[in-house]
């Protein structure tokens, strides 16, 4: 099946931000004050954990990452986690690694939904743990494990962070978007903001399944990178949906899937 226009656009955006991340990495290695870590929307936690207060953040890039991180959270309250599908370089890298697997493996080796829901809770625990660390000021315990911070220290080696990055990509070779689904604290924070939005009555854009067109073949579920049981409801209310539109692309009946505010 040929790649649809929406997926070509998404791929182009992903590659753009991946190249920007690599440019930041090159500047880091070159010894400039810029680093890939400063562009991470969750870096405010690392800055806080490393003992750097808001008033001490003189670097413009750092302030922009903090502001962008907050905007992404607010945006997600209305549009969902599109950041994960279009912008995050780690998400793009995981997609690329998993794409190396055969089509049969990608569609057959799925984590059972019971375990998916059970272990997806881990990222909320990591979010809670890092939040407590911000208050306690013991950032060195977390920041050494941050893969983006490890990259920002090149050519000095941040061994623990680089090791974690390798493990994330290795796990992503067997389980699609392993980091996004089970470990990413920023993903958990985006989900929390979506929950807050729902509690205060904000309508969020969701993937909608046309029940009249759908023949319940289940193809959409086999290709969902977040392993969501899409065909269970008319609207995909799962906050883990990243709006990648892969379900719409793979559906044998075009027009079955769309996006609407609900």
């Amino acid at each position: 099946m040929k790649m649809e226009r929406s997926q070509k656009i998404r791929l182009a955006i992903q590659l753009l931000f991946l190249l920007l991340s690599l440019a930041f990495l090159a500047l880091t290695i070159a010894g400039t004050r810029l680093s890939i870590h400063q562009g991470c929307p969750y870096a405010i936690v690392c800055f806080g954990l490393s003992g750097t207060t808001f008033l001490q953040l003189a670097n413009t890039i750092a302030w922009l990452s903090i502001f962008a991180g907050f905007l992404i959270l607010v945006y997600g309250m209305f549009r969902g986690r599109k950041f994960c599908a279009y912008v995050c370089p780690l998400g793009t890298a995981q997609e690329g690694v998993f794409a190396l697997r055969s089509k049969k493996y990608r569609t057959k080796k799925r984590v059972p939904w019971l375990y998916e829901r059970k272990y997806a809770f881990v990222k909320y625990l990591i979010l809670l743990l890092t939040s407590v660390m911000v208050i306690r000021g013991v950032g060195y315990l977390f920041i050494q494990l941050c893969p983006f911070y490890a990259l920002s220290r090149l050519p000095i080696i941040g061994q623990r962070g680089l090791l974690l990055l390798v493990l994330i990509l290795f796990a992503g070779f067997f389980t699609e978007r392993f980091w996004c689904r089970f470990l990413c604290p920023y993903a958990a924070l985006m989900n929390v903001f979506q929950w807050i939005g729902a509690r205060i009555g904000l309508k969020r854009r969701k993937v909608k399944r046309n029940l009249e067109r759908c023949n319940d073949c289940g193809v959409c579920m086999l290709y969902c990178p977040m392993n969501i049981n899409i065909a269970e409801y008319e609207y995909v209310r799962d906050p883990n949906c990243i709006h990648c539109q892969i379900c719409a692309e793979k559906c044998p009946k075009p027009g079955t899937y769309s996006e609407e505010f609900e």
Side-chain angles (χ1 to χ4, degrees), residues 196-226:
I196 293 173
R199 297 287 76 78
I200 62 178
L202 296 179
K203 289 187 176 182
R204 176 164 53 88
R205 195 169 178 85
K206 301 181 179 71
V207 173
K208 180 184 179 182
R209 179 170 61 102
N210 188 320
L211 299 180
E212 295 181 357
R213 288 190 59 80
C214 181
N215 59 10
D216 297 314
C217 65
V219 170
C220 55
M221 296 182 293
L222 296 178
Y223 287 95
C224 177
M226 300 302 287

Side-chain angles (χ1 to χ4, degrees), residues 237-250:
R237 297 185 177 91
D238 193 320
N240 292 304
C241 175
I242 60 175
H243 296 260
C244 60
Q245 290 296 317
I246 291 177
C247 54
E249 179 200 2
K250 299 297 183 182

Side-chain angles (χ1 to χ4, degrees), residues 37-38 43-53 57 62 65-66 143:
H37 181 249
Q38 292 170 336
I44 177 57
V45 175
C46 296
F47 290 138
L49 292 175
S50 61
T52 307
T53 65
L57 283 174
S65 70
I66 294 169
I143 203 170

Side-chain angles (χ1 to χ4, degrees), residues 29 40 46 59 113 125 171 180 201 224 235-236 258:
I29 297 174
C40 175
C46 296
N59 191 299
W113 286 312
L125 295 179
C180 308
C224 177
Y235 287 90
V236 180
S258 60

